[in-house]
Amino acid sequence: MAGFSQAAKEFSRIALPYFKGEDRWAGRILLSVVVALQLFQVYLSVQFNTWYRNFYNALEQKDWDSFIYQLGVFSVLAALFIIAAVYELYLRQWLQIRWRAWLTDNYMARWLEAGTHYRMRLRGDQIDNPDQRIAEDVRSFIVTTIGIGLGLLSSVVTLVSFVAILWGLSADQPLVIGSWSMEIPGYLVWAALLYAILGTWLTHLIGYPLIRLNFNQERYEADFRFSLVRLRENAEEVTLLSGEEVERQGLKERFGHVIQNWYSIMTRTKKLTFFTAGYNQAATIFPFVVVSPLYFAGAMTLGGLIQISQAFGKVQDSLSFFVDAYDNIANWKAILDRLSGFERSLEWAQSLDAEHEVSLKQAEAADHNSLRAQDVVVALPTGRDLVRISDFAVKPGEKVLVTGMSGSGKTSLFRALGGVWPFGEGKIELPREGDVLVLPQQAYMPLGTLRRAVTYPAGEQAYAPEEVEEVLTAVGLGKLVDQLDETAYWADLLSGGEQQRLSIARALLQKPQWLLLDEATSSLDEESEEQLYRLLLDRLPDTAIVSIGHRSGLSVFHDRFYHLTPDENGDHHLRLKETGGGPSPAGAPA
């Protein structure tokens, strides 16, 4: 019962917001019409039940006129049923796509808001493949929810309608077994009820493991697909390292999980299908076995026998809804669990600012014009302190170089200054009108045209074409000007140095007040690096530049120098150096 209550809460949290959101009226109207058409089909099924009796009685009595009349009745009922079924499916699909569009947009907005997608990765038990949960699980959740919901509604209404019919048909008829008979009012209803209860219990007993198996199958499939995508994105590195055999073994291992779990699903599904197929076949003949003695004794017409059989089948089908739909329900529960996990991970990432004081915030009042951090501790997600800052302030136009050994926390410090690292204590302040641009060592190349890559994260039309062409030429990528509107996978076509040049072009276009360079020119030769720094100093004289770097040549482009110095506890303190003295040459980026 506790599990059902928890599932109901999770379902409500995911499903109900759509019907309260901005598209609520369209969603409510579509759902209402779909439900009405579903109920109308149940009404037509009741009419068909009466038609079965009249039609087969006409056959038994060889009544030609009645036979022709019943064919006409059937034509009308069939036409109405076809129209209702077609539009019920059409409007259901319309509801599905509107609901999916709303929920997908909602998840994407929350996932991409304020670096949530990045912060979710910091959780120790981070969810697997959030991309699949947005792209695939949302679609499957909506389709199965509507399908199971309408099926359940139809079964309940059908049950109520045909129980009344079946009770009336068997209320005055005795239960006959051989030469023995017994008066049990509505015995066919009780027979259908017991048959369905037994079938549902056995189905649950056999099929329950499918919930976990379906959950794992989705995860294994997504892990395998992600590994293939990751290999494609790092094809050059893998080729240069001759790592194809290792990658193949890794892919085989992940695909092995897919195959192994699929075999388990096959075995369990085979057992479930054996039972449900036998259950449904037995249900076809069961009412004839129970009622046929009355027919052969002459106490019932052929039409009455067919009507009872058809009504019993409807009642049994309704009561056996969970038997027939168990596989879909197990899959739906697995999808619900995956989306619930995604929701919890989103909420965890979004709650980090409330739980941790370190974040990039606008100052309450414009009492200073500096990017400032005082008495700040930058920590790891585990809680261990990493970097301590007693007093750090950068004014517009200043040029600051931060150095330190590998692992000292330089990159984590920049993440905190950039507002995406919430772990620690203290407060990092930024003037109300200030904007920060952080350029990491590995430049991001979005999908699409080269122009989009240059103007990112602004739109392609945010800057004049001649302005984009000019900055691209200024950073040494003039040869690419003619390809600005070409769509390609630029992360593969551009070298690491070219990507870093393009990243600098973004800074020249955006003109931020604070520019944080996390070894953003490390892939370039020293001469090219010096040219780009001179370009930044010349084009962005009022921009404060804070750099992480290891090359001694960077000293001439900065006027203040900080170094991360470790203490006896392993914490690193950001301390001002008297002179540049040349950055430490050791190590890779932290």
Side-chain angles (χ1 to χ4, degrees):
M1 189 63 183
F4 175 80
S5 176
Q6 181 63 29
K9 289 180 181 178
E10 292 173 349
F11 171 75
S12 299
R13 182 174 60 173
I14 295 171
L16 293 185
Y18 169 66
F19 296 98
K20 298 177 181 179
E22 59 274 13
D23 199 41
R24 61 185 179 276
W25 290 115
R28 292 174 183 178
I29 291 172
L30 283 171
L31 181 60
S32 298
V33 175
V34 168
V35 168
L37 289 172
Q38 188 75 34
L39 296 178
F40 182 62
Q41 291 176 71
V42 174
Y43 167 78
L44 291 176
S45 295
V46 173
Q47 301 307 309
F48 272 119
N49 182 257
T50 302
W51 175 86
Y52 274 112
R53 182 194 62 200
N54 296 334
F55 181 74
Y56 280 95
N57 281 340
L59 288 176
E60 184 181 31
Q61 297 165 10
K62 298 180 175 58
D63 186 340
W64 175 257
D65 292 337
S66 179
F67 174 78
I68 295 300
Y69 175 76
Q70 292 303 324
L71 288 179
V73 172
F74 174 82
S75 299
V76 173
L77 292 176
L80 292 174
F81 190 89
I82 291 171
I83 293 172
V86 168
Y87 278 97
E88 187 263 330
L89 176 61
Y90 175 74
L91 295 177
R92 180 197 298 196
Q93 291 175 333
W94 196 1
L95 173 61
Q96 287 171 358
I97 197 61
R98 294 186 72 102
W99 191 356
R100 181 186 177 187
W102 185 91
L103 188 56
T104 299
D105 184 66
N106 177 268
Y107 275 155
M108 286 194 300
R110 293 172 61 190
W111 188 48
L112 296 174
E113 181 184 12
T116 297
H117 60 101
Y118 167 73
R119 295 183 177 193
M120 288 169 66
R121 298 170 54 188
L122 306 178
R123 187 173 182 177
D125 59 341
Q126 61 172 298
I127 64 165
D128 58 277
N129 306 294
D131 51 301
Q132 187 208 24
R133 305 200 185 200
I134 294 174
E136 293 293 331
D137 290 344
V138 166
R139 178 190 61 81
S140 298
F141 172 77
I142 291 171
V143 171
T144 53
T145 293
I146 294 176
I148 292 173
L150 290 177
L152 180 60
L153 173 66
S154 177
S155 294
V156 170
V157 177
T158 299
L159 176 64
V160 172
S161 302
F162 281 92
V163 158
I165 294 173
L166 196 59
W167 185 281
L169 293 174
S170 60
D172 299 326
Q173 301 288 351
L175 172 61
V176 178
I177 302 177
S179 60
W180 178 83
S181 66
M182 182 178 181
E183 295 288 341
I184 302 178
Y187 69 90
L188 287 176
V189 174
W190 301 117
L193 181 62
L194 291 174
Y195 190 83
I197 290 175
L198 179 63
T200 300
W201 177 71
L202 290 174
T203 298
H204 179 68
L205 200 64
I206 298 170
Y208 183 74
L210 281 172
I211 294 176
R212 173 52 55 183
L213 290 171
N214 282 326
F215 181 94
N216 288 338
Q217 190 68 22
E218 292 290 334
R219 179 163 65 91
Y220 293 146
E221 294 277 8
D223 285 344
F224 178 61
R225 185 169 57 250
F226 176 77
S227 299
L228 291 171
V229 172
R230 188 170 179 274
L231 176 59
R232 183 195 69 191
E233 292 178 343
N234 296 277
E236 180 180 358
E237 292 85 348
V238 172
T239 303
L240 291 173
L241 293 170
S242 299
E244 287 86 356
E245 181 59 29
V246 174
E247 292 295 332
R248 188 175 73 88
Q249 292 300 324
L251 290 172
K252 284 182 64 177
E253 181 180 349
R254 286 177 172 79
F255 190 64
H257 293 314
V258 173
I259 298 298
Q260 206 168 25
N261 195 75
W262 184 254
Y263 281 141
S264 298
I265 291 177
M266 287 171 55
T267 301
R268 184 57 56 173
T269 303
K270 179 184 68 175
K271 295 177 181 178
L272 183 62
T273 305
F274 259 125
F275 175 75
T276 55
Y279 175 87
N280 290 327
Q281 290 301 315
T284 303
I285 201 69
F286 183 74
F288 288 102
V289 173
V290 175
V291 182
S292 58
L294 291 174
Y295 173 73
F296 287 109
M300 181 179 294
T301 64
L302 177 61
L305 176 64
I306 297 299
Q307 184 182 23
I308 286 179
S309 172
Q310 203 262 350
F312 181 89
K314 289 291 185 180
V315 171
Q316 184 270 329
D317 285 345
S318 300
L319 290 171
S320 303
F321 170 77
F322 291 103
V323 174
D324 298 327
Y326 197 90
D327 191 36
N328 286 335
I329 294 173
N331 185 51
W332 173 84
K333 181 61 169 62
I335 295 169
L336 177 64
D337 289 343
R338 288 177 60 79
L339 287 180
S340 296
F342 183 64
E343 286 264 355
R344 288 191 295 271
S345 189
L346 281 174
E347 291 169 359
W348 176 85
Q350 292 169 338
S351 69
L352 287 178
D353 282 338
E355 296 177 3
H356 302 275
E357 296 181 11
V358 170
S359 62
L360 186 60
K361 300 177 181 178
Q362 292 182 346
E364 293 296 326
D367 56 350
H368 61 78
N369 64 342
S370 303
L371 171 62
R372 177 181 296 176
Q374 291 181 318
D375 299 321
V376 167
V377 177
V378 180
L380 294 173
T382 59
R384 184 175 74 83
D385 294 345
L386 185 62
V387 175
R388 292 183 175 273
I389 308 171
S390 58
D391 187 15
F392 179 76
V394 183
K395 295 180 180 179
E398 289 189 318
K399 309 299 183 281
V400 177
L401 179 62
V402 177
T403 60
M405 298 296 292
S406 177
S408 60
K410 301 186 297 297
T411 297
S412 296
L413 169 63
F414 268 39
R415 289 169 179 168
L417 294 175
V420 299
W421 191 262
F423 303 105
E425 298 176 356
K427 184 169 63 174
I428 296 173
E429 296 180 323
L430 182 70
R432 191 175 301 277
E433 301 300 325
D435 60 313
V436 175
L437 176 63
V438 181
L439 299 185
Q441 183 178 17
Q442 184 174 354
Y444 173 64
M445 296 289 109
L447 300 176
T449 64
L450 181 62
R451 187 182 303 277
R452 184 185 181 194
V454 178
T455 61
Y456 186 86
E460 294 185 27
Q461 308 305 319
Y463 305 98
E466 56 272 15
E467 188 178 3
V468 175
E469 294 172 7
E470 195 277 329
V471 297
L472 203 60
T473 302
V475 299
L477 296 177
K479 62 182 180 180
L480 299 176
V481 168
D482 293 338
Q483 303 176 52
L484 274 169
D485 294 312
E486 292 185 13
T487 299
Y489 196 66
W490 294 105
D492 280 351
L493 296 182
L494 301 180
S495 68
E498 288 174 324
Q499 292 181 39
Q500 289 191 338
R501 288 178 185 272
L502 189 146
S503 184
I504 297 297
R506 291 175 185 163
L508 296 177
L509 285 175
Q510 295 179 40
K511 299 178 176 62
Q513 284 191 282
W514 281 270
L515 178 62
L516 310 184
L517 303 176
D518 184 1
E519 296 205 74
T521 56
S522 60
S523 295
L524 298 166
D525 59 88
E526 292 192 30
E527 181 180 354
S528 298
E529 183 178 56
E530 292 175 4
Q531 290 174 353
L532 288 181
Y533 262 93
R534 290 193 181 94
L535 185 64
L536 288 172
L537 296 181
D538 180 56
R539 298 286 185 94
L540 305 176
D542 298 325
T543 295
I545 297 178
V546 182
S547 304
I548 289 177
H550 295 291
R551 291 173 177 167
S552 58
L554 292 178
S555 299
V556 298
F557 302 108
H558 300 83
D559 44 46
R560 273 200 297 146
F561 306 90
Y562 285 84
H563 188 73
L564 285 168
T565 305
D567 60 19
E568 63 278 3
N569 297 321
D571 298 343
H572 290 79
H573 297 259
L574 186 67
R575 290 175 175 154
L576 181 67
K577 297 174 66 176
E578 294 298 326
T579 60
S584 170

Coordinates of all heavy atoms in Angstrom, one line a residue, residues 517-571:
L517 N 39.8 33.4 -17.7 CA 40.5 32.6 -18.7 C 41.1 31.4 -18.0 O 42.2 31.5 -17.4 CB 41.5 33.3 -19.5 CG 41.0 34.6 -20.3 CD1 42.2 35.3 -20.9 CD2 39.9 34.2 -21.3
D518 N 40.5 30.2 -18.1 CA 41.0 29.0 -17.4 C 41.9 28.3 -18.4 O 41.5 27.3 -19.1 CB 39.9 28.1 -16.9 CG 40.3 26.9 -16.2 OD1 41.6 26.8 -16.0 OD2 39.5 26.1 -15.7
E519 N 43.2 28.7 -18.6 CA 44.1 28.2 -19.6 C 43.4 28.1 -20.9 O 43.6 27.2 -21.7 CB 44.6 26.8 -19.1 CG 45.4 26.8 -17.9 CD 46.3 25.7 -17.8 OE1 47.4 25.7 -18.5 OE2 46.1 24.7 -17.0
A520 N 42.7 29.2 -21.3 CA 42.0 29.3 -22.5 C 42.8 29.4 -23.8 O 42.3 29.4 -24.9 CB 41.0 30.4 -22.4
T521 N 44.2 29.6 -23.6 CA 45.1 29.7 -24.7 C 46.2 28.6 -24.7 O 47.2 28.8 -25.4 CB 45.7 31.1 -24.8 OG1 46.3 31.4 -23.6 CG2 44.6 32.2 -25.1
S522 N 46.0 27.6 -23.9 CA 47.1 26.7 -23.6 C 47.4 25.8 -24.8 O 48.5 25.2 -24.9 CB 46.7 25.8 -22.4 OG 45.5 25.1 -22.7
S523 N 46.5 25.7 -25.8 CA 46.7 24.8 -27.0 C 47.4 25.5 -28.1 O 47.8 25.0 -29.1 CB 45.4 24.3 -27.5 OG 44.7 23.4 -26.6
L524 N 47.7 26.8 -27.8 CA 48.4 27.6 -28.8 C 49.9 27.7 -28.5 O 50.3 27.6 -27.4 CB 47.8 29.1 -28.9 CG 46.3 29.2 -29.3 CD1 45.8 30.5 -28.9 CD2 46.1 28.9 -30.7
D525 N 50.7 28.0 -29.6 CA 52.1 28.3 -29.3 C 52.2 29.6 -28.6 O 51.3 30.4 -28.6 CB 52.9 28.3 -30.6 CG 52.3 29.3 -31.6 OD1 52.8 30.5 -31.5 OD2 51.4 29.0 -32.4
E526 N 53.4 29.9 -28.0 CA 53.6 31.1 -27.2 C 53.4 32.3 -28.0 O 52.8 33.3 -27.5 CB 54.9 31.0 -26.5 CG 55.1 29.9 -25.5 CD 56.3 30.1 -24.6 OE1 56.8 31.2 -24.4 OE2 56.9 29.0 -24.2
E527 N 53.9 32.3 -29.2 CA 53.7 33.6 -30.0 C 52.2 33.9 -30.3 O 51.8 35.0 -30.2 CB 54.5 33.4 -31.3 CG 54.4 34.6 -32.2 CD 55.2 34.4 -33.5 OE1 55.9 33.4 -33.7 OE2 55.1 35.3 -34.4
S528 N 51.5 32.8 -30.7 CA 50.0 33.0 -30.9 C 49.3 33.4 -29.6 O 48.4 34.3 -29.6 CB 49.4 31.8 -31.5 OG 50.0 31.4 -32.7
E529 N 49.7 32.8 -28.5 CA 49.1 33.2 -27.2 C 49.3 34.7 -26.9 O 48.4 35.4 -26.5 CB 49.7 32.3 -26.1 CG 49.1 32.5 -24.7 CD 49.7 31.6 -23.7 OE1 50.9 31.6 -23.5 OE2 48.9 30.8 -23.1
E530 N 50.6 35.1 -27.1 CA 50.9 36.5 -26.9 C 50.1 37.5 -27.8 O 49.6 38.5 -27.3 CB 52.4 36.8 -27.1 CG 53.3 36.1 -26.0 CD 54.7 36.2 -26.3 OE1 55.1 37.0 -27.3 OE2 55.6 35.7 -25.6
Q531 N 49.9 37.1 -29.0 CA 49.1 37.9 -30.0 C 47.7 38.0 -29.5 O 47.1 39.1 -29.5 CB 49.2 37.3 -31.3 CG 50.5 37.4 -32.0 CD 50.6 36.6 -33.3 OE1 49.6 35.9 -33.7 NE2 51.7 36.8 -34.1
L532 N 47.1 36.9 -29.0 CA 45.7 37.0 -28.6 C 45.6 37.8 -27.3 O 44.6 38.5 -27.1 CB 45.2 35.5 -28.3 CG 44.9 34.7 -29.6 CD1 44.4 33.4 -29.3 CD2 43.9 35.4 -30.5
Y533 N 46.5 37.7 -26.4 CA 46.5 38.5 -25.2 C 46.6 40.0 -25.5 O 45.9 40.8 -24.9 CB 47.5 38.1 -24.2 CG 47.0 37.1 -23.1 CD1 47.1 35.7 -23.3 CD2 46.4 37.6 -21.9 CE1 46.6 34.9 -22.3 CE2 45.9 36.8 -21.0 CZ 46.0 35.4 -21.2 OH 45.5 34.5 -20.2
R534 N 47.5 40.3 -26.4 CA 47.6 41.7 -26.8 C 46.3 42.2 -27.5 O 45.9 43.4 -27.3 CB 48.7 41.9 -27.8 CG 50.1 41.8 -27.2 CD 51.2 42.3 -28.2 NE 52.5 42.1 -27.6 CZ 53.3 41.0 -27.8 NH1 52.9 40.1 -28.6 NH2 54.5 40.9 -27.2
L535 N 45.6 41.3 -28.2 CA 44.4 41.7 -28.8 C 43.3 41.9 -27.8 O 42.5 42.9 -27.9 CB 43.9 40.5 -29.7 CG 42.7 40.7 -30.6 CD1 42.9 41.9 -31.6 CD2 42.3 39.4 -31.3
L536 N 43.3 41.1 -26.7 CA 42.3 41.3 -25.6 C 42.6 42.6 -24.9 O 41.6 43.4 -24.6 CB 42.4 40.1 -24.6 CG 41.8 38.8 -25.1 CD1 42.1 37.7 -24.1 CD2 40.3 38.9 -25.3
L537 N 43.8 42.9 -24.6 CA 44.2 44.1 -23.9 C 43.8 45.4 -24.8 O 43.4 46.4 -24.2 CB 45.7 44.1 -23.6 CG 46.2 43.1 -22.6 CD1 47.6 43.2 -22.3 CD2 45.4 43.1 -21.3
D538 N 44.0 45.2 -26.1 CA 43.7 46.4 -26.9 C 42.2 46.6 -27.1 O 41.7 47.7 -27.1 CB 44.4 46.1 -28.3 CG 44.2 47.3 -29.3 OD1 44.5 48.4 -28.9 OD2 43.6 47.0 -30.4
R539 N 41.5 45.5 -27.4 CA 40.0 45.6 -27.7 C 39.2 45.7 -26.4 O 38.1 46.3 -26.5 CB 39.6 44.3 -28.4 CG 40.3 44.1 -29.8 CD 39.8 45.1 -30.8 NE 40.3 44.8 -32.1 CZ 39.7 44.1 -33.1 NH1 38.6 43.5 -32.8 NH2 40.3 43.9 -34.2
L540 N 39.7 45.2 -25.3 CA 38.8 45.2 -24.0 C 39.6 45.9 -22.9 O 39.9 45.3 -21.9 CB 38.5 43.8 -23.6 CG 37.8 42.9 -24.7 CD1 37.6 41.5 -24.2 CD2 36.4 43.5 -25.1
P541 N 39.9 47.2 -23.1 CA 40.7 47.9 -22.0 C 40.0 48.0 -20.7 O 40.6 48.1 -19.7 CB 41.0 49.2 -22.7 CG 39.8 49.4 -23.6 CD 39.5 48.1 -24.2
D542 N 38.7 48.0 -20.7 CA 37.9 48.2 -19.5 C 37.5 46.9 -18.9 O 36.8 46.9 -17.8 CB 36.7 49.1 -19.7 CG 37.0 50.5 -20.2 OD1 38.1 51.0 -19.7 OD2 36.3 51.0 -21.0
T543 N 37.8 45.8 -19.5 CA 37.4 44.5 -19.0 C 38.5 44.0 -18.0 O 39.7 44.0 -18.3 CB 37.3 43.5 -20.1 OG1 36.2 43.9 -21.0 CG2 37.0 42.1 -19.6
A544 N 38.0 43.5 -16.9 CA 39.0 42.8 -15.9 C 39.2 41.4 -16.4 O 38.3 40.7 -16.7 CB 38.4 42.8 -14.5
I545 N 40.5 41.1 -16.5 CA 40.9 39.7 -17.0 C 41.6 39.0 -15.8 O 42.5 39.5 -15.3 CB 41.8 39.8 -18.2 CG1 41.1 40.5 -19.4 CG2 42.3 38.4 -18.6 CD1 41.9 40.6 -20.6
V546 N 41.0 37.8 -15.5 CA 41.6 36.9 -14.5 C 42.0 35.7 -15.2 O 41.2 35.0 -15.8 CB 40.7 36.6 -13.3 CG1 41.4 35.8 -12.3 CG2 40.2 37.9 -12.7
S547 N 43.3 35.3 -15.2 CA 43.8 34.2 -16.0 C 44.4 33.1 -15.1 O 45.0 33.4 -14.0 CB 44.9 34.6 -17.0 OG 44.5 35.7 -17.8
I548 N 44.2 31.9 -15.5 CA 45.0 30.7 -15.0 C 45.9 30.4 -16.1 O 45.6 30.2 -17.2 CB 44.0 29.5 -14.7 CG1 43.2 29.8 -13.4 CG2 44.9 28.3 -14.4 CD1 42.2 28.7 -13.1
G549 N 47.2 30.3 -15.7 CA 48.2 29.9 -16.7 C 49.5 29.4 -16.1 O 49.7 29.6 -14.9
H550 N 50.3 28.7 -16.9 CA 51.5 28.2 -16.4 C 52.8 28.7 -17.1 O 53.9 28.6 -16.6 CB 51.5 26.6 -16.5 CG 50.5 25.9 -15.7 ND1 50.6 25.9 -14.4 CD2 49.4 25.3 -16.1 CE1 49.5 25.2 -13.9 NE2 48.8 24.9 -14.9
R551 N 52.5 29.4 -18.2 CA 53.7 29.9 -19.0 C 54.2 31.2 -18.4 O 53.4 32.1 -18.1 CB 53.3 30.1 -20.5 CG 53.0 28.8 -21.2 CD 52.5 29.1 -22.6 NE 52.3 27.8 -23.3 CZ 51.6 27.7 -24.5 NH1 51.1 28.8 -25.0 NH2 51.5 26.6 -25.1
S552 N 55.5 31.4 -18.3 CA 56.1 32.6 -17.8 C 55.8 33.8 -18.6 O 55.8 34.9 -18.1 CB 57.6 32.4 -17.6 OG 58.2 32.1 -18.9
G553 N 55.6 33.6 -19.9 CA 55.3 34.7 -20.8 C 54.1 35.4 -20.5 O 53.9 36.6 -21.0
L554 N 53.2 34.8 -19.8 CA 51.9 35.5 -19.5 C 52.1 36.7 -18.5 O 51.2 37.5 -18.4 CB 50.9 34.5 -18.9 CG 50.4 33.4 -19.9 CD1 49.4 32.5 -19.2 CD2 49.6 34.1 -21.1
S555 N 53.1 36.7 -17.7 CA 53.3 37.7 -16.7 C 53.2 39.1 -17.2 O 52.7 40.0 -16.5 CB 54.7 37.5 -16.0 OG 54.7 36.2 -15.4
V556 N 53.8 39.3 -18.4 CA 53.8 40.7 -18.9 C 52.4 41.3 -19.2 O 52.3 42.5 -19.4 CB 54.7 40.8 -20.2 CG1 56.1 40.3 -19.8 CG2 54.1 39.9 -21.3
F557 N 51.4 40.4 -19.3 CA 50.1 40.9 -19.7 C 49.2 41.1 -18.4 O 48.0 41.4 -18.5 CB 49.4 39.8 -20.6 CG 50.2 39.6 -21.9 CD1 50.8 38.4 -22.1 CD2 50.2 40.6 -22.8 CE1 51.5 38.2 -23.2 CE2 51.0 40.4 -24.0 CZ 51.6 39.2 -24.2
H558 N 49.8 40.9 -17.2 CA 49.0 41.1 -16.0 C 49.8 42.0 -15.0 O 51.0 42.1 -15.1 CB 48.8 39.7 -15.3 CG 48.1 38.7 -16.2 ND1 48.7 38.0 -17.2 CD2 46.7 38.4 -16.3 CE1 47.8 37.2 -17.8 NE2 46.6 37.5 -17.3
D559 N 49.0 42.6 -14.2 CA 49.6 43.6 -13.3 C 49.5 43.1 -11.8 O 50.0 43.8 -10.9 CB 49.0 45.0 -13.4 CG 47.5 45.0 -13.6 OD1 46.8 44.2 -12.8 OD2 46.9 45.6 -14.5
R560 N 48.8 42.1 -11.5 CA 48.7 41.5 -10.2 C 48.8 40.0 -10.3 O 48.2 39.4 -11.2 CB 47.4 41.9 -9.4 CG 47.6 43.3 -8.7 CD 46.5 43.4 -7.6 NE 45.2 43.4 -8.2 CZ 44.1 42.9 -7.6 NH1 44.2 42.3 -6.4 NH2 42.9 43.0 -8.1
F561 N 49.4 39.4 -9.3 CA 49.6 37.9 -9.3 C 49.2 37.3 -8.0 O 49.6 37.7 -6.9 CB 51.1 37.7 -9.6 CG 51.6 38.4 -10.8 CD1 52.1 39.7 -10.7 CD2 51.5 37.9 -12.1 CE1 52.6 40.4 -11.8 CE2 51.9 38.5 -13.2 CZ 52.5 39.8 -13.1
Y562 N 48.5 36.2 -8.1 CA 48.1 35.4 -7.0 C 48.6 34.0 -7.2 O 48.7 33.5 -8.3 CB 46.6 35.4 -6.8 CG 46.0 36.7 -6.3 CD1 45.7 37.7 -7.2 CD2 45.7 36.8 -4.9 CE1 45.2 38.9 -6.7 CE2 45.2 38.0 -4.5 CZ 44.9 39.1 -5.3 OH 44.3 40.2 -4.9
H563 N 48.9 33.3 -6.0 CA 49.3 32.0 -6.1 C 48.6 31.1 -5.1 O 48.4 31.6 -3.9 CB 50.8 31.9 -5.8 CG 51.4 30.5 -6.1 ND1 51.6 30.0 -7.3 CD2 51.9 29.6 -5.2 CE1 52.1 28.8 -7.2 NE2 52.3 28.5 -5.9
L564 N 48.2 29.9 -5.4 CA 47.5 29.0 -4.5 C 48.6 28.2 -3.7 O 49.3 27.4 -4.3 CB 46.6 28.1 -5.2 CG 45.3 28.7 -5.7 CD1 44.5 27.8 -6.7 CD2 44.4 29.1 -4.5
T565 N 48.7 28.5 -2.5 CA 49.8 27.9 -1.6 C 49.1 26.9 -0.6 O 48.2 27.3 0.1 CB 50.5 29.0 -0.9 OG1 51.0 30.0 -1.8 CG2 51.7 28.4 -0.1
P566 N 49.6 25.7 -0.6 CA 49.1 24.7 0.4 C 49.6 24.9 1.8 O 50.7 25.4 2.0 CB 49.5 23.4 -0.2 CG 50.8 23.7 -0.9 CD 50.7 25.1 -1.4
D567 N 48.7 24.6 2.8 CA 49.2 24.6 4.2 C 49.3 23.2 4.6 O 49.2 22.2 3.9 CB 48.2 25.4 5.1 CG 46.8 24.7 5.0 OD1 46.6 23.6 4.7 OD2 45.8 25.4 5.4
E568 N 49.6 23.0 5.9 CA 49.9 21.7 6.5 C 48.7 20.7 6.4 O 48.8 19.5 6.4 CB 50.4 21.7 7.9 CG 49.4 22.3 8.9 CD 49.4 23.9 8.9 OE1 50.1 24.5 8.0 OE2 48.7 24.5 9.7
N569 N 47.4 21.3 6.3 CA 46.2 20.5 6.2 C 45.8 20.1 4.8 O 44.8 19.4 4.6 CB 45.1 21.2 6.9 CG 45.3 21.5 8.4 OD1 45.9 20.6 9.1 ND2 45.0 22.6 8.9
G570 N 46.6 20.6 3.8 CA 46.2 20.3 2.4 C 45.3 21.4 1.8 O 45.0 21.3 0.6
D571 N 44.8 22.3 2.6 CA 44.0 23.4 2.0 C 44.9 24.4 1.3 O 46.1 24.6 1.7 CB 43.3 24.2 3.2 CG 42.3 23.3 3.9 OD1 42.0 22.2 3.4 OD2 41.9 23.6 5.0

